[in-house]
């Protein structure tokens, strides 16, 4: 969605945005770990030790994606506002830090559902 809203980009900027940009809809973190957990559930069963480890690891990754990383992004936004304010008032050069780092809860939920769907479709089709 962000790619559509921004100005024209050259190939390198486009590739960098697609590969390295974090945050946004859907959460690739949630998609990957939920697909892995779903695949393990289908192949090994939900009573396996591997599924239990994978399930709890998935919860940790998804919580981190919308918790710790999101709050650090919000802090970065505040820091940028302060830096730009100081730049305007005192003429001090400020280089902004990256703001979008985490996911909103809806982005994580959609990512998790996408991962489950893809893993199930791959296993059963």
């Amino acid at each position: 969605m962000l790619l559509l809203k921004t100005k024209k980009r050259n190939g390198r900027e486009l590739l960098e945005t697609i590969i390295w940009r974090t945050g946004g809809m859907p959460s690739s973190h949630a998609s990957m770990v939920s697909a892995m957990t779903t695949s393990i559930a289908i192949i090994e069963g939900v009573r396996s030790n591997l599924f239990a480890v994978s399930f709890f690891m998935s919860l940790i990754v998804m919580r981190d994606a919308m918790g710790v990383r999101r709050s650090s992004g919000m802090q970065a936004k505040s820091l940028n506002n302060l830096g730009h304010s100081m730049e305007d008032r005192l003429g001090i050069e400020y280089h902004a830090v990256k703001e979008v780092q985490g996911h909103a809860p809806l982005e994580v939920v959609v990512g998790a559902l996408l991962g489950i769907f893809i893993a199930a479709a791959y296993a059963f089709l």
Side-chain angles (χ1 to χ4, degrees):
M1 187 65 98
L2 179 68
L3 292 174
L4 301 175
K5 292 180 182 179
T6 58
K7 63 180 191 252
K8 272 187 156 177
R9 296 179 182 263
N10 64 31
R12 182 175 181 202
E13 289 174 331
L14 182 64
L15 187 62
E16 183 179 309
T17 300
I18 292 171
I19 293 176
W20 294 111
R21 183 170 171 82
T22 57
M25 176 72 85
S27 167
S28 59
H29 294 89
S31 294
M32 191 268 308
V33 295
S34 65
M36 175 186 65
T37 301
T38 302
S39 297
I40 291 170
I42 292 168
I43 294 168
E44 300 288 327
V46 294
R47 292 185 170 197
S48 72
N49 291 336
L50 186 57
F51 173 77
V53 170
S54 174
F55 178 77
F56 287 108
M57 188 194 88
S58 295
L59 292 178
I60 291 167
V61 168
M62 287 189 270
R63 174 66 179 107
D64 180 66
M66 70 180 171
V68 176
R69 296 180 74 233
R70 183 162 174 78
S71 65
S72 68
M74 293 166 57
Q75 289 174 357
K77 187 172 188 168
S78 296
L79 180 63
N80 284 339
N81 289 338
L82 179 62
H84 292 307
S85 175
M86 296 304 289
E87 186 175 48
D88 293 341
R89 289 182 186 177
L90 303 175
I92 300 171
E93 184 178 357
Y94 175 74
H95 300 284
V97 296
K98 184 177 175 183
E99 292 181 12
V100 180
Q101 296 181 3
H103 294 286
L106 181 62
E107 295 168 344
V108 173
V109 169
V110 171
L113 292 174
L114 182 64
I116 291 167
F117 175 76
I118 290 172
Y122 183 79
F124 296 121
L125 294 180

